[in-house]
Short mmCIF file of all heavy atoms in Angstrom, two decimals:
data_model
loop_
_atom_site.label_atom_id
_atom_site.label_comp_id
_atom_site.label_asym_id
_atom_site.label_seq_id
_atom_site.Cartn_x
_atom_site.Cartn_y
_atom_site.Cartn_z
N LEU A 34 7.27 0.04 -17.81
CA LEU A 34 6.18 0.90 -18.25
C LEU A 34 6.65 2.08 -19.09
O LEU A 34 5.94 2.59 -19.95
CB LEU A 34 5.39 1.40 -17.03
CG LEU A 34 4.62 0.35 -16.26
CD1 LEU A 34 4.04 0.93 -15.00
CD2 LEU A 34 3.52 -0.25 -17.12
N THR A 35 7.87 2.57 -18.85
CA THR A 35 8.35 3.76 -19.56
C THR A 35 9.01 3.44 -20.89
O THR A 35 9.00 4.29 -21.79
CB THR A 35 9.33 4.59 -18.72
OG1 THR A 35 10.42 3.73 -18.33
CG2 THR A 35 8.67 5.20 -17.53
N THR A 36 9.58 2.25 -21.06
CA THR A 36 10.29 1.93 -22.30
C THR A 36 9.36 1.96 -23.53
O THR A 36 9.74 2.57 -24.54
CB THR A 36 11.00 0.59 -22.17
OG1 THR A 36 11.97 0.71 -21.10
CG2 THR A 36 11.72 0.22 -23.45
N PRO A 37 8.17 1.36 -23.50
CA PRO A 37 7.30 1.47 -24.67
C PRO A 37 6.88 2.93 -24.97
O PRO A 37 6.78 3.32 -26.10
CB PRO A 37 6.09 0.60 -24.33
CG PRO A 37 6.53 -0.26 -23.24
CD PRO A 37 7.62 0.44 -22.52
N VAL A 38 6.69 3.68 -23.90
CA VAL A 38 6.30 5.11 -24.10
C VAL A 38 7.44 5.83 -24.78
O VAL A 38 7.22 6.60 -25.74
CB VAL A 38 5.93 5.78 -22.80
CG1 VAL A 38 5.72 7.26 -22.93
CG2 VAL A 38 4.72 5.12 -22.16
N GLN A 39 8.65 5.62 -24.34
CA GLN A 39 9.81 6.28 -24.94
C GLN A 39 9.97 5.95 -26.39
O GLN A 39 10.19 6.84 -27.24
CB GLN A 39 11.08 5.92 -24.14
CG GLN A 39 12.37 6.46 -24.73
CD GLN A 39 12.46 7.97 -24.67
OE1 GLN A 39 11.88 8.60 -23.82
NE2 GLN A 39 13.20 8.53 -25.60
N PHE A 40 9.94 4.68 -26.76
CA PHE A 40 10.31 4.27 -28.09
C PHE A 40 9.11 4.13 -29.06
O PHE A 40 9.27 4.36 -30.24
CB PHE A 40 11.13 3.00 -28.07
CG PHE A 40 12.44 3.25 -27.38
CD1 PHE A 40 12.70 2.71 -26.12
CD2 PHE A 40 13.41 4.04 -27.96
CE1 PHE A 40 13.91 2.96 -25.47
CE2 PHE A 40 14.61 4.28 -27.35
CZ PHE A 40 14.84 3.73 -26.11
N ILE A 41 7.95 3.72 -28.57
CA ILE A 41 6.79 3.59 -29.48
C ILE A 41 6.12 4.95 -29.68
O ILE A 41 5.91 5.34 -30.82
CB ILE A 41 5.75 2.54 -28.88
CG1 ILE A 41 6.41 1.16 -28.93
CG2 ILE A 41 4.50 2.57 -29.74
CD1 ILE A 41 5.62 0.09 -28.26
N SER A 42 5.84 5.64 -28.58
CA SER A 42 5.25 6.98 -28.73
C SER A 42 6.20 7.98 -29.31
O SER A 42 5.81 8.92 -30.01
CB SER A 42 4.74 7.50 -27.37
OG SER A 42 3.76 6.64 -26.83
N GLY A 43 7.49 7.81 -29.03
CA GLY A 43 8.47 8.76 -29.52
C GLY A 43 9.07 8.42 -30.87
O GLY A 43 9.94 9.14 -31.40
N TRP A 44 8.57 7.33 -31.50
CA TRP A 44 9.11 6.91 -32.80
C TRP A 44 9.05 7.99 -33.84
O TRP A 44 9.94 8.16 -34.65
CB TRP A 44 8.37 5.66 -33.31
CG TRP A 44 8.77 5.28 -34.66
CD1 TRP A 44 8.02 5.31 -35.79
CD2 TRP A 44 10.07 4.81 -35.10
NE1 TRP A 44 8.75 4.93 -36.87
CE2 TRP A 44 10.05 4.60 -36.44
CE3 TRP A 44 11.25 4.54 -34.39
CZ2 TRP A 44 11.13 4.16 -37.16
CZ3 TRP A 44 12.35 4.08 -35.10
CH2 TRP A 44 12.26 3.91 -36.48
N ARG A 45 7.98 8.76 -33.83
CA ARG A 45 7.81 9.85 -34.79
C ARG A 45 8.97 10.87 -34.69
O ARG A 45 9.48 11.32 -35.66
CB ARG A 45 6.49 10.55 -34.59
CG ARG A 45 6.23 11.73 -35.51
CD ARG A 45 4.93 12.38 -35.20
NE ARG A 45 5.02 13.01 -33.88
CZ ARG A 45 4.14 13.89 -33.45
NH1 ARG A 45 3.15 14.23 -34.22
NH2 ARG A 45 4.23 14.46 -32.29
N PHE A 46 9.36 11.18 -33.42
CA PHE A 46 10.46 12.12 -33.24
C PHE A 46 11.81 11.54 -33.67
O PHE A 46 12.64 12.25 -34.18
CB PHE A 46 10.49 12.56 -31.78
CG PHE A 46 9.21 13.25 -31.37
CD1 PHE A 46 8.36 12.64 -30.47
CD2 PHE A 46 8.91 14.49 -31.87
CE1 PHE A 46 7.16 13.26 -30.08
CE2 PHE A 46 7.72 15.13 -31.47
CZ PHE A 46 6.87 14.52 -30.58
N TYR A 47 11.99 10.25 -33.43
CA TYR A 47 13.24 9.60 -33.85
C TYR A 47 13.29 9.62 -35.40
O TYR A 47 14.36 9.90 -35.97
CB TYR A 47 13.31 8.16 -33.38
CG TYR A 47 13.67 8.08 -31.89
CD1 TYR A 47 12.68 7.85 -30.96
CD2 TYR A 47 14.96 8.25 -31.48
CE1 TYR A 47 13.01 7.78 -29.59
CE2 TYR A 47 15.31 8.16 -30.15
CZ TYR A 47 14.31 7.95 -29.20
OH TYR A 47 14.65 7.88 -27.87
N ARG A 48 12.21 9.27 -36.05
CA ARG A 48 12.18 9.25 -37.50
C ARG A 48 12.42 10.66 -38.08
O ARG A 48 13.27 10.85 -38.96
CB ARG A 48 10.84 8.72 -37.98
CG ARG A 48 10.73 8.56 -39.46
CD ARG A 48 9.35 8.29 -39.95
NE ARG A 48 8.52 9.46 -39.59
CZ ARG A 48 7.28 9.39 -39.05
NH1 ARG A 48 6.74 8.24 -38.84
NH2 ARG A 48 6.62 10.46 -38.75
N ASP A 49 11.70 11.66 -37.55
CA ASP A 49 11.87 13.01 -38.05
C ASP A 49 13.25 13.55 -37.79
O ASP A 49 13.82 14.29 -38.58
CB ASP A 49 10.82 13.94 -37.46
CG ASP A 49 9.40 13.65 -37.91
OD1 ASP A 49 9.25 12.88 -38.88
OD2 ASP A 49 8.48 14.16 -37.27
N SER A 50 13.84 13.17 -36.66
CA SER A 50 15.22 13.60 -36.33
C SER A 50 16.22 12.99 -37.28
O SER A 50 17.18 13.64 -37.72
CB SER A 50 15.57 13.19 -34.89
OG SER A 50 14.71 13.84 -33.99
N TRP A 51 15.99 11.74 -37.67
CA TRP A 51 16.92 11.10 -38.59
C TRP A 51 16.88 11.80 -39.99
O TRP A 51 17.93 12.08 -40.56
CB TRP A 51 16.54 9.61 -38.79
CG TRP A 51 17.39 8.94 -39.81
CD1 TRP A 51 16.95 8.51 -41.06
CD2 TRP A 51 18.77 8.63 -39.75
NE1 TRP A 51 17.99 7.95 -41.71
CE2 TRP A 51 19.13 8.00 -40.96
CE3 TRP A 51 19.72 8.83 -38.74
CZ2 TRP A 51 20.42 7.58 -41.19
CZ3 TRP A 51 21.01 8.40 -39.03
CH2 TRP A 51 21.35 7.77 -40.22
N TYR A 52 15.67 12.10 -40.44
CA TYR A 52 15.55 12.84 -41.69
C TYR A 52 16.14 14.24 -41.63
O TYR A 52 16.77 14.70 -42.56
CB TYR A 52 14.11 12.89 -42.17
CG TYR A 52 13.58 11.53 -42.62
CD1 TYR A 52 12.39 11.04 -42.10
CD2 TYR A 52 14.29 10.73 -43.49
CE1 TYR A 52 11.91 9.81 -42.48
CE2 TYR A 52 13.82 9.48 -43.85
CZ TYR A 52 12.64 9.02 -43.35
OH TYR A 52 12.17 7.80 -43.73
N SER A 53 15.97 14.91 -40.48
CA SER A 53 16.51 16.23 -40.33
C SER A 53 18.02 16.21 -40.23
O SER A 53 18.71 17.13 -40.72
CB SER A 53 15.89 16.97 -39.14
OG SER A 53 16.32 16.41 -37.93
N LEU A 54 18.60 15.17 -39.67
CA LEU A 54 20.06 15.05 -39.63
C LEU A 54 20.58 14.81 -41.03
O LEU A 54 21.65 15.31 -41.38
CB LEU A 54 20.52 13.90 -38.72
CG LEU A 54 20.50 14.20 -37.22
CD1 LEU A 54 20.71 12.92 -36.44
CD2 LEU A 54 21.58 15.20 -36.89
#
Side-chain angles (χ1 to χ4, degrees):
L34 293 173
T35 56
T36 299
V38 173
Q39 174 67 27
F40 296 109
I41 294 172
S42 299
W44 174 248
R45 177 180 69 164
F46 299 110
Y47 285 101
R48 185 191 62 223
D49 292 347
S50 297
W51 176 251
Y52 291 130
S53 69
L54 280 170

